[in-house]
Amino acid sequence: MSYVIRSVRADEWAAVKELRLAALRDPVAHLAFAETYEEAAREPDSFWQERAAGAAEGAERAQQIIAQGPDGQWVGTVTVLVEEPGTTDWLGLPVERKQGHVVGAFVRPEERGSGLTEVLFDAALEWSWGRGLERVRLIVHEENGRALRFYRRVGFEPSGVTVPVGDSGERELEFVIER
């Protein structure tokens, strides 16, 4: 592979926006992301600038890692959010230990199957363990078979926590990996 794997820089907000919008156009985006393309596309530039700065190289609370192809195009990404004990998570549940929460994982369709997703997750876990996180978790829709298979293959296991998806009767599952 001839990809560069690195953290984003704050001034790369336009590329952060472009890759996120591409991810939200993916056919399984409705299972993988909490927002729609239309919602994200309406956000002002200031939103994307803040988003990039908050997860840029050197940030302590989050890190967005990207894969850059030989031509300079960003072809994949994953973000880790740091959750501190004594706080509450996005569901309002208490966080009991220092952990990471993986969000926004995406690899462009033409790059899938190349091993790039594994490389991105390795980088995300390396960043997490380097920050002293005790575990890393993610939430995945129960019908997102491709993602479920991948997460198990790279060492994530179901924790038993389930999250209802609105009133649909569908669920999302928490998967974790411990250091």
Side-chain angles (χ1 to χ4, degrees):
M1 272 193 270
S2 56
Y3 302 103
V4 173
I5 308 299
R6 64 174 179 81
S7 297
V8 301
R9 294 184 296 271
D11 65 348
E12 295 177 312
W13 64 269
V16 167
K17 175 182 178 179
E18 187 281 325
L19 190 59
R20 179 64 172 190
L21 293 177
L24 293 171
R25 285 188 206 104
D26 192 274
V28 296
H30 68 286
L31 296 177
F33 300 108
E35 68 184 333
T36 66
Y37 172 84
E38 293 76 20
E39 291 166 339
R42 283 194 300 266
E43 295 290 355
D45 288 349
S46 59
F47 170 86
W48 297 103
Q49 291 162 352
E50 290 172 22
R51 186 176 187 143
E57 186 175 40
E60 291 296 319
R61 307 283 309 138
Q63 196 75 179
Q64 182 176 1
I65 299 166
I66 56 107
Q68 189 172 5
D71 61 357
Q73 181 186 31
W74 289 12
V75 296
T77 185
V78 65
T79 299
V80 180
L81 308 175
V82 176
E83 299 175 329
E84 295 286 346
T87 64
T88 55
D89 68 9
W90 62 281
L91 290 169
L93 300 174
V95 175
E96 296 177 359
R97 53 188 164 161
K98 191 172 184 177
Q99 63 189 16
H101 187 155
V102 172
V103 297
F106 173 72
V107 171
R108 293 185 191 270
E110 62 273 16
E111 302 293 330
R112 293 178 187 156
S114 67
L116 182 56
T117 309
E118 288 89 341
V119 172
L120 283 166
F121 267 73
D122 285 348
L125 290 172
E126 181 179 323
W127 183 86
S128 299
W129 305 147
R131 298 302 172 283
L133 304 184
E134 298 173 33
R135 77 178 195 149
V136 175
R137 69 181 186 142
L138 53 85
I139 307 295
V140 59
H141 194 284
E142 66 184 344
E143 293 180 13
N144 193 343
R146 184 181 75 209
L148 288 166
R149 287 186 299 277
F150 171 76
Y151 298 141
R152 287 179 189 275
R153 190 170 70 244
V154 297
F156 284 82
E157 297 179 1
S159 70
V161 172
T162 61
V163 179
V165 179
D167 296 329
S168 67
E170 297 175 355
R171 301 176 308 154
E172 292 186 325
L173 312 171
E174 180 187 65
F175 273 57
V176 300
I177 189 167
E178 309 235 356
R179 182 162 183 178

